[in-house]
């Protein structure tokens, strides 16, 4: 009886886990996969596969939110890359992402990319929201200092100093990463 | 002069991030041409900027996706299906192992008791462990007991074969989370403990802990054994069977 109960509890917690991942990261994953594949239906398949892989590797989910996000995004990209590699034409955006954004990582294997991405996302997640917002506006949304000041309602001088601080802090956190791959992270690579 | 002192420090990051207007850009260019500090700083910031490129802009979106409930439902269904398949596989192998040992084993209906050890401070609800009597023809002296801990859900099915002053044990252990470092502990009537074996719980494809089937031995005479327990390396008792 208690076994039956514990099975029921287990399957409930499995579903709760997947649901929680979906609630927290679903938008980011689906938007990313949609851009990479250029196809909403294909993107949903990729996200489904990403969530399933996370569910099979619950040890990943004990890391911080940023690490989890980094792991999920990298898994998403790897799934897209693997699926489209088989096809003659890879979507341009995949090529763009791997070649412009992560030039050195093209030669590296998936494993190291995942760890890098986890470490960097974790560092980003640890920035204060004020600093992260400035970085996101400027770097990831491509806005100028003036535009960012307008969008966030802060003086241009503040935008500049926050961008400066954010990048420096990130470098600090990222540089603190020990020489090799952290053992704990290595285990979670799929 | 350090870059922090010369007033350019705050321009360097926006410069590297490509957010400065042309006037400011030119100013930084001109200054960096003659300032080693700022050039060095720029080089370091550029490295970091390159790293940022490995994170896609979508990384900063939060919450669930819009209009994707079907995606969630499909994923949940796949989880359920894979769990069921995994459980079927597991119960097949485990069931076979238990049946095999039960056939060779005498069991008079030992009711196991004591789900948690006394050393545990936590006031757990009184464990009412259920025993599973199995009827079979016994080779002389071989005994089997089985216990399920109602709190942890762990289950131990044990077969003990007496030797001259010591005992051979075969244990099937299920219901323990993956990654736990476990040991099979034999406790005799005077409270003396012998570790009969240890293992690390593997991970089932579902993510739960794998069942373990292991053989061990202890320098305790079979007739002196009071109980056999499964503990982790911090002394937590998952399940204990009275003998
Ligand atoms: Zn300078």
């Amino acid at each position: 009886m208690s076994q039956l109960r514990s099975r029921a509890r287990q399957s409930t917690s499995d579903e709760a886990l997947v649901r929680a991942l979906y609630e927290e990261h679903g938008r980011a994953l689906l938007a990313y996969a949609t851009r990479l594949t250029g196809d909403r239906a294909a993107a949903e398949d990729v996200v489904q596969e990403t969530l399933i892989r996370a569910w099979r590797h619950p040890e990943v989910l004990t890391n911080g939110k940023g690490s989890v996000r980094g792991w999920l995004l990298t898994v998403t990209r790897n799934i897209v890359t693997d699926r489209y590699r088989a096809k003659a034409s890879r979507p341009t955006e995949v090529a763009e992402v791997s070649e412009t954004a992560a030039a050195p990582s093209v030669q590296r294997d998936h494993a190291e990319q995942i760890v890098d991405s986890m470490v960097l996302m974790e560092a980003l997640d640890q920035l204060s929201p004020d600093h992260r917002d400035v970085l996101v506006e400027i770097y990831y949304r491509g806005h100028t200092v003036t535009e960012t000041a307008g969008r966030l309602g802060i003086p241009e001088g503040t935008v500049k100093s926050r961008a400066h601080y954010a990048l420096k802090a990130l470098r600090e956190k990222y540089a603190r990463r020990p020489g090799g791959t952290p053992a704990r992270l290595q285990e979670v690579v799929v | 002069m350090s870059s922090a002192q010369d007033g350019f420090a705050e321009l360097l990051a926006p410069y590297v991030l490509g957010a400065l207007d042309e006037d400011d850009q030119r100013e930084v260019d001109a200054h960096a041409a003659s300032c080693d500090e700022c050039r060095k700083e720029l080089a370091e910031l550029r490295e970091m900027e390159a790293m940022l490129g490995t994170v896609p802009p979508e990384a900063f979106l939060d919450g669930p996706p819009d209009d994707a409930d079907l995606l969630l439902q499909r994923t949940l269904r796949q989880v359920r299906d894979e769990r069921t398949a995994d459980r079927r596989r597991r119960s097949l192998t485990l069931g076979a192992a238990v049946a095999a040992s039960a056939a060779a084993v005498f069991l008079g209906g030992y009711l196991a008791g004591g789900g948690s050890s006394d050393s545990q401070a936590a006031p757990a609800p009184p464990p009412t462990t259920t025993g599973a009597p199995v009827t079979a023809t016994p080779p002389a002296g071989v005994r089997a007991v089985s216990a399920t801990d109602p709190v942890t859900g762990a289950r131990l099915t044990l077969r003990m074969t007496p030797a001259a002053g010591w005992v051979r044990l075969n244990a099937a252990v299920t219901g323990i989370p993956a990654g736990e470092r476990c040991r099979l502990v034999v406790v005799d009537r005077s409270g003396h403990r012998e570790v009969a074996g240890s293992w690390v719980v593997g991970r089932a494809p579902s993510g739960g802990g794998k069942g373990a089937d292991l053989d061990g031995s202890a320098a305790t005479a079979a007739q002196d054994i009071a109980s056999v327990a499964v503990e982790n390396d911090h002394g937590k008792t998952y399940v204990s069977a009275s003998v």
Side-chain angles (χ1 to χ4, degrees):
Chain A
M1 292 154 301
S2 60
Q3 241 185 345
L4 283 180
R5 258 202 310 280
S6 86
R7 277 177 191 169
R9 196 163 55 230
Q10 179 63 45
S11 72
T12 311
S13 76
D14 279 341
E15 290 188 24
L17 173 86
V18 169
R19 201 179 281 273
L21 287 173
Y22 172 90
E23 298 283 342
E24 185 164 24
H25 305 286
R27 185 189 296 269
L29 295 178
L30 189 58
Y32 185 41
T34 304
R35 177 165 65 82
L36 293 184
T37 59
D39 175 347
R40 165 80 182 220
E44 291 201 6
D45 284 349
V46 170
V47 173
Q48 179 175 353
E49 175 65 19
T50 303
L51 293 172
I52 291 291
R53 287 196 195 177
W55 167 64
R56 290 192 192 126
H57 291 266
E59 66 276 21
V60 172
L61 311 175
T62 61
N63 294 297
K65 180 192 166 195
S67 290
V68 173
R69 180 71 61 94
W71 186 88
L72 291 167
L73 288 164
T74 314
V75 168
T76 294
R77 188 185 57 201
N78 290 345
I79 293 171
V80 173
T81 313
D82 290 345
R83 286 193 184 173
Y84 283 79
R85 190 179 280 150
K87 300 188 177 181
S89 68
R90 291 168 62 196
T92 35
E93 255 112 357
V94 170
E96 253 170 50
V97 166
S98 0
E99 273 139 44
T100 64
S105 61
V106 174
Q107 289 92 23
R108 284 183 286 157
D109 60 0
H110 282 182
E112 197 170 339
Q113 280 178 32
I114 287 184
V115 173
D116 270 352
S117 187
M118 288 175 75
V119 172
L120 185 59
M121 276 303 295
E122 191 61 31
L124 280 164
D125 200 48
Q126 282 167 12
L127 289 180
S128 80
D130 283 350
H131 290 109
R132 191 172 49 243
D133 286 351
V134 166
L135 207 54
V136 168
E137 289 295 325
I138 287 183
Y139 186 79
Y140 293 102
R141 305 218 167 110
H143 294 123
T144 64
V145 168
T146 313
E147 286 164 347
T148 302
R151 288 169 62 95
L152 297 180
I154 51 177
E156 288 190 22
T158 308
V159 171
K160 288 175 189 167
S161 62
R162 283 186 189 170
H164 180 72
Y165 177 84
L167 206 53
K168 296 274 282 186
L170 215 52
R171 217 181 120 254
E172 276 284 287
K173 291 179 200 294
Y174 193 78
R176 228 177 282 143
R177 171 189 173 191
T181 300
R184 200 160 75 90
L185 292 180
Q186 204 155 32
E187 288 179 6
V188 304
V189 164
V190 284
Chain B
M1 190 182 279
S2 84
S3 53
Q5 287 166 322
D6 67 19
F8 277 87
E10 297 206 331
L11 287 181
L12 299 182
Y15 174 90
V16 161
L17 295 170
L20 290 185
D21 60 34
E22 281 182 29
D23 287 349
D24 280 349
Q25 253 178 56
R26 266 196 295 275
E27 219 179 311
V28 172
D29 283 335
H31 171 77
S34 62
C35 178
D36 286 346
E37 280 285 331
C38 283
R39 260 206 313 279
K40 199 168 140 248
E41 177 90 6
L42 278 175
E44 288 176 354
L45 290 174
R46 272 202 196 92
E47 269 178 43
M48 200 58 233
E49 189 260 359
M51 282 311 304
L52 285 180
T54 62
V55 172
E58 290 86 355
F60 302 95
L61 301 173
D62 272 318
D66 295 323
D67 307 320
D69 200 50
L70 277 179
L71 160 62
L72 175 62
Q73 297 312 327
R74 271 194 331 218
T75 310
L76 290 175
R77 200 179 315 131
Q78 188 179 350
V79 164
R80 282 193 290 269
D81 290 350
E82 289 195 15
R83 270 199 58 81
T84 311
D86 172 50
R87 199 156 55 221
R88 211 171 286 139
R89 263 196 309 278
R90 218 174 351 167
S91 62
L92 273 180
T93 34
L94 197 76
V98 171
S101 58
V105 148
F106 154 78
L107 188 76
Y110 298 90
L111 280 186
S116 62
S117 78
D118 293 336
S119 60
Q120 261 185 309
T128 51
T129 316
T130 54
V134 182
T135 41
T137 323
V142 177
R143 303 170 74 188
V145 289
S146 140
T148 304
D149 189 292
V151 178
T152 65
R155 180 172 178 81
L156 167 64
T157 300
L158 195 65
R159 179 167 44 123
M160 291 165 289
T161 308
W166 57 286
V167 66
R168 285 195 183 88
L169 299 130
N170 172 263
V173 183
T174 56
I176 295 181
E180 283 289 73
R181 306 174 68 84
C182 288
R183 48 184 72 130
L184 190 67
V185 180
V186 175
V187 185
D188 74 9
R189 303 201 187 283
S190 62
H192 179 79
R193 297 153 52 88
E194 288 281 356
V195 174
S198 58
W199 72 102
V200 177
V201 178
R203 189 172 303 280
S206 68
K210 261 189 196 162
D213 187 356
L214 59 141
D215 292 305
S217 59
T220 307
Q223 68 271 21
D224 291 337
I225 297 174
S227 65
V228 178
V230 177
E231 300 177 358
N232 73 3
D233 50 351
H234 301 298
K236 174 190 165 108
T237 302
Y238 270 104
V239 57
S240 170
S242 290
V243 176

